[in-house]
Amino acid sequence: MATPTIIIGIGSSGLYTLENVQRFYYETYKKNKPDHVEYLYLETNKDNLVGVTPVKNEIRRVYISLAEMAKMVKELKESGCGDWLPPANQILDAGIGAGNIRSCGRLALWGTNSADGDNFRNVIEAIKETYSRVDKIDTGKGTSNKPTVFITGTLTGGTGSGIFIDMAYLVRHLIYDVKELF
């Protein structure tokens, strides 16, 4: 039987990959994904949405907001956890999403803001929920449902390059029985 699988797309390149995986599967089997697979997408650009598909879209989107960047920088630096951040004036004009600035992508993961709440908590809850859906799948292997997790994105933008390492550690922490992590 198939291994439970989670595919996490980070940033616009991660979404592009997920949409192509979903499209390929639909063209072949007339549904967007196998039952043992879940798609999760993390994005800092509020306008970058998942595309339309012929059947119900299976990609779950989690928006990690940079709405109050100055506040986020200040809070992280005051807590002693923001020494990796450049001065606020260097990142405040990032533009759309993380604006191809690695530290903005990472800031989005760790930051909080009034409008969208605690980004880190939102990501944790999304990973846990996604894992709970694949963990319930009967693979025919008895009680061992160790999932394989793929994290995809680009290292040349802001969102993906900013959080890919943190995401790998986070997945290892939250999914203690992960079979393989790519």
Side-chain angles (χ1 to χ4, degrees), residues 46-62:
K46 65 179 171 134
D47 297 326
N48 201 10
L49 303 173
V50 178
V52 178
T53 60
V55 294
K56 180 183 176 252
N57 201 314
E58 300 285 348
I59 299 172
R60 176 170 180 210
R61 180 180 186 264
V62 178

Side-chain angles (χ1 to χ4, degrees), residues 77-91:
K77 287 196 177 213
E78 286 176 356
S79 72
C81 299
D83 41 332
W84 51 270
L85 282 163
N89 64 341
Q90 290 181 10
I91 60 175

Side-chain angles (χ1 to χ4, degrees), residues 7-24 41-43 48-51 59 152-154:
I7 306 172
I8 302 173
I10 302 173
S12 55
S13 295
L15 174 60
Y16 180 76
T17 301
L18 288 175
E19 287 177 330
N20 279 295
V21 167
Q22 185 172 251
R23 186 176 302 113
F24 172 78
Y41 163 54
L42 309 176
E43 178 59 87
N48 201 10
L49 303 173
V50 178
I59 299 172
T152 183
T154 183

